[in-house]
Amino acid sequence: METRRALVTGAASGIGAACVHRLAADGVQVVAVDHDAAALGELAAGGIETITADLTDLDSLQDLPTDIDILVNSAGVQQVAPVEQFPPERFGYLLRLMLESPFRLIRQTLPHMYGRGWGRIVNISSVHGLRGSPFKAAYVAAKHGLEGLSKVVALEGAPHGVTSNCVNPAYVRTPLVTAQLADQALVHGLTEAEVLDKVLLEPVAVKRLIEPEEVAELVALLCGPASASLTGSSLVLDGGWTAH
């Protein structure tokens, strides 16, 4: 893995940061990309190459490195609102960040991967890439779209040694989920503790938040020696949510 170079988006915190550390532990040369320059500074202090970028500025993505062997699309945000009240500009923002941006990054890194005859694309999807939930129109739409994109890339990339997969966690202990507690409390008229128990964890058999490091372990699996025939898949880490 020491010969591989990875680009991880949403790398400053949560799942993205866990993926940076996990891949680096395997010897991968990691480029960490995020809009939060201050948080990236902590990774840079640890010797990780960092780039500050706004992934919703789609035309600027061409300035990011393309000599990438492993691409981890992890950046994401959430917006909680009923469809009839959902701000259209935020709907577009979420789709740019979580669907159009991964498409652009995949598109511009595939030629390098094809040239080397090896590549790994890992899209951090969600249980919401497989299931719907009220009040999350943009997030669910983006993740469902990401699932489809990932499968198309898997089919096209297979003859070139490139795999493409999704990782589908339920709620992970990240700043994104923490912020949801307050938003959902307002929507449902509950306390944040009640939101965690009665909304977020209600469909989950294993009643706990997932740790970012658990997601990163699946990412490492998808990039490791057993991954050559693992493509077009969605690896579900949802505590039994989709078992219903």
Side-chain angles (χ1 to χ4, degrees):
M1 297 298 284
E2 289 80 4
T3 64
R4 307 302 185 189
R5 191 177 191 211
L7 188 148
V8 180
T9 69
S13 65
I15 294 171
C19 290
V20 169
H21 291 302
R22 182 63 183 83
L23 291 173
D26 278 347
V28 178
Q29 305 164 38
V30 183
V31 181
V33 179
D34 202 287
H35 74 284
D36 189 339
L40 281 177
E42 298 180 17
L43 293 175
I48 300 293
E49 180 182 351
T50 62
I51 298 176
T52 304
D54 176 5
L55 297 178
T56 64
D57 182 358
L58 299 177
D59 290 337
S60 72
L61 298 181
Q62 62 187 351
D63 298 327
L64 295 177
T66 58
D67 56 337
I68 297 299
D69 306 298
I70 297 169
L71 174 62
V72 181
N73 289 307
S74 179
V77 295
Q78 182 62 275
Q79 179 83 22
V80 178
V83 170
E84 73 275 13
Q85 299 174 15
F86 209 102
E89 65 278 5
R90 285 293 289 175
F91 190 95
Y93 179 89
L94 265 68
L95 263 67
R96 285 197 305 277
L97 177 63
M98 295 191 292
L99 183 54
E100 291 190 67
S101 169
F103 162 73
R104 296 281 188 113
L105 293 174
I106 291 169
R107 181 180 184 273
Q108 68 189 38
T109 55
L110 278 179
H112 171 80
M113 294 179 182
Y114 285 0
R116 296 196 69 178
W118 193 95
R120 297 292 180 265
I121 295 167
V122 183
N123 299 302
I124 305 301
S125 182
S126 165
V127 67
H128 286 114
L130 307 172
R131 295 290 188 272
S133 283
F135 311 116
K136 297 180 180 179
Y139 189 89
V140 171
K143 293 302 188 183
H144 273 67
L146 187 63
E147 295 280 331
L149 172 63
S150 185
K151 288 178 172 61
V152 170
V153 175
L155 296 174
E156 293 185 9
H160 307 279
V162 175
T163 67
S164 175
N165 294 283
C166 289
V167 177
N168 300 69
Y171 294 104
V172 181
R173 194 185 306 279
T174 64
L176 186 149
V177 169
T178 302
Q180 278 189 65
L181 293 176
D183 291 342
Q184 293 258 26
L186 183 62
V187 169
H188 295 285
L190 302 171
T191 67
E192 292 188 18
E194 288 172 329
V195 168
L196 180 61
D197 291 336
K198 298 180 180 180
V199 180
L200 270 62
L201 297 182
E202 190 279 330
V204 178
V206 181
K207 301 294 185 182
R208 56 180 285 270
L209 293 175
I210 298 164
E211 300 300 329
E213 292 75 17
E214 296 175 73
V215 183
E217 286 296 330
L218 286 187
V219 172
L221 169 67
L222 290 170
C223 300
S227 63
S229 291
L230 183 51
T231 194
S233 296
S234 299
L235 273 65
V236 182
L237 183 68
D238 69 352
W241 186 327
T242 55
H244 290 286

